[in-house]
Structure formats: structure tokens, C-alpha cells
Amino acid sequence: MDRKNVVWILMLLLLVLLGVAETTDPMTDLENIAGKLVFYQTEGNATYVRDTGELASDVPTETMFELFDPQRNFSTAKFSYTWDLGNGEVIQGTEPVVRYHYSESGNYTLQLKVGVNVTKYAPLITGVYSTDVQVLDAIKNIELKGPSDYEMSQNTSLAFHVDGSPPMWVCWRFLPNCVPDVGGGCTLTMLYENTLRLNHTFTSAGVHCLDISVRNDVSKLETSFSLYVKKNTNPHMFFILTCAAVLVATFSFITVIACRPLHHNRFQIATSSNALFLKNQDSDGQSTILFNFPNMERGEKEPLILQYGTQYSS
């Protein structure tokens, strides 16, 4: 074969291949849509990126689908998005972003279905993305339950209600006289419920400050409480009452000893005829009558009380 003919044949084959390449759309061979979901939450003037799958309840939320297309194969394609928020709400649109908020805390599964029309006659390309979302209540308030007045030298129990979803990290410290402690640390504890209980003994009177910092995975709150501590008068009162009781007992004992009646043998003497009647009263209050007769002269009559038989008067 002539060399010129070979060259023409090769050039013809090259032109045919180039024509086929121009008439073939490379995007018709794409089967997958690469991308990821990104969560944003806005509170006030601040916007937070939630890349851990944890969101705050009752906060405006924006979820965006970021397409991975470095070759720009989908630059002219038309997209459709169907968002299933997992709480019964479904949102459809043509933008890769959806705006919503979760009103209650809990666990949800967010699912996104992406549809791509590359050309007018090309088949629809779809991709489904899903992610688990944990919605937590942001920490909005820390409330002291109970009085704000306390006494020193007593083991004091303080209770606080924390409005937010546990688990929460709590850092607290007491400042006597509310003097700032720049270099001092705090006591860190883990809270698995909404009630924080602290035990503390105040060693001085005056105004004390309690600084508390609480945070969970979606929020953080810091606050300070002023606590009024007064001197404890109960120990002095107990000492006074004890001394008074001792004095009362001592005086009562002395009074009983001094006023106790003295039981002496008392004699009552009565005379009848020539007899001497002696009445003896013992310590039990019983009386015994004794008789004592003096020596009688001859010819005298005996007392009638001692004569026997019948006595007749002359």
C-alpha cells in the first residue's frame, strides 16, 4: 500500500474518533453525586458550625448540601432536593439549603434525596444522604433554690436548677468577700441531671460570691451569685443555757437542803393527879405515851388510873 494512502487512512480514523468524542456527553456516564451535609445555627449575631451532629433546640438552623465537583461536570445541571427532617416535616426545593428548627430535644435522622438532570434527554441521577442528629436544649438559666442568707461555721447545702440538656460540665468556686481570684482555678464536676447540689462551710462572715460556669455540647452559660453570711449565735446561746441550767440546779439543791424540816424528839408533858404523862413523838410522826410516877408517901392513895377493881367514893 502506498505510504500516502496509509497517512490518509490514519487521518480519517483520527477525525472519526474526534467526532465521536464531541458528540458524546461525558456527564451521561456519571452515576454518583459526591457531597456532604453541613449544619449552621444562628443565635443573635453569632453563627455556629455544628459539625458533630448535635444541634440546639428552638434555634434557627440551616443545613446545606455542599457538592463535590472539582471537574465542574454538574455546572449546567439542574438539581432537586427533598429534605426529610425526621420529625414528620418534609421540605422540597431546588436550592441546596434548607432552613428550619427543631422545637423539642431528642434524636432525629435527617435524610436528603438529591436529583440531577444533566441533559434534557439524560436519565435522572439521584443520591441519598442521611445523618443522625441529636438535638439538645441550650443552657438558658441557672436558678438558686433556697435562701441567700447563711451562717458561718455550718455545713451549708446549696441547690441549683440548671435549665438545659444533660450531660453538662459544671465549674464552680467560692470567693470570700467577692475578691476576684485571677490565678485561682475552679472545681469541675459532671452533671447528669438538672439539679446541682453543693456543700460548703463558710469560715467568715460577710458577702461571698459563687461563680458557676455550665456548658453542654451546644451551649455555655456563666453566672455569679451573692451570698450573705452572718455569724452563728447558736453556740453562744447553747453555752448560756447550759450555765443557766447548772446554776438553777445548784440553787435548787441548796434550797432543798436548807428548807428540809428537822425532826426532833419532842415531849409533851401533862399532869393528872400525881402521875406524869410523857408523850414521845418519833421521826415517823407516831406518838407513844409513857407514864412516870414519883415516889408516893405512905398513906397516899394510888392514882385512880392504876387501881384495880371497883372504886367507891366515900
Side-chain angles (χ1 to χ4, degrees), residues 229-243:
V229 181
K230 59 184 179 180
K231 293 183 178 180
N232 188 359
T233 57
N234 289 337
H236 302 286
M237 184 61 66
F238 178 77
F239 176 76
I240 293 174
L241 293 177
T242 303
C243 293

Side-chain angles (χ1 to χ4, degrees), residues 249-262:
T250 303
F251 283 117
S252 299
F253 178 76
I254 295 174
T255 303
V256 170
I257 295 299
C259 298
R260 188 178 66 178
L262 299 177

Side-chain angles (χ1 to χ4, degrees), residues 27 30 32-34 65 67 73-81 113-119 122-127:
M27 290 186 294
L30 297 177
N32 298 319
I33 304 173
F65 176 73
L67 178 66
N73 294 326
F74 297 103
S75 59
T76 59
K78 294 182 179 180
F79 290 81
S80 63
Y81 302 91
K113 183 178 180 181
V114 182
V116 180
N117 287 318
V118 179
T119 63
L124 180 66
I125 303 175
T126 60

